[in-house]
């Protein structure tokens, strides 16, 4: 599903950004978008947050809902 992949990409971007903040004290999104309070930065932060919420639903879906074939032994 396209939305699942898009959400996963946004979550990965967010994770890398948080890793940069934690390890180096550098916020890449803020740097590229004009600061943490810039409108574009806030939009990206919000999209990453929404993507994280969407990815929580991936934990509770069955294999059939995700389009995977059932596992056989």
């Amino acid at each position: 599903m396209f939305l699942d992949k898009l959400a996963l990409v946004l979550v990965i971007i967010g994770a890398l950004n948080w890793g940069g903040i934690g390890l180096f004290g550098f916020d890449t999104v803020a740097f590229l978008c004009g600061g943490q309070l810039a409108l574009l930065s806030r939009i990206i932060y919000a999209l990453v947050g929404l993507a994280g919420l969407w990815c929580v639903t991936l934990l509770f879906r069955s294999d059939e809902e995700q389009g995977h074939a059932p596992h056989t032994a």
Side-chain angles (χ1 to χ4, degrees):
M1 177 183 235
F2 173 75
L3 192 56
D4 292 341
K5 290 183 181 184
L6 177 62
L8 187 57
V9 167
L10 288 171
V11 167
I12 291 169
I13 289 170
L16 292 173
N17 193 57
W18 274 108
I21 293 169
L23 293 172
F24 308 112
F26 185 74
D27 186 341
T28 306
V29 172
F31 175 76
L32 294 175
C33 299
Q36 288 183 335
L37 298 179
L39 180 61
L40 184 56
S41 293
R42 294 181 65 184
I43 290 170
I44 292 171
Y45 296 142
L47 288 174
V48 168
L50 291 172
L53 290 174
W54 182 264
C55 285
V56 169
T57 68
L58 297 176
L59 294 172
F60 300 103
R61 291 191 202 165
S62 67
D63 285 341
E64 292 82 23
E65 290 174 334
Q66 293 182 8
H68 298 285
H71 296 288
T72 57

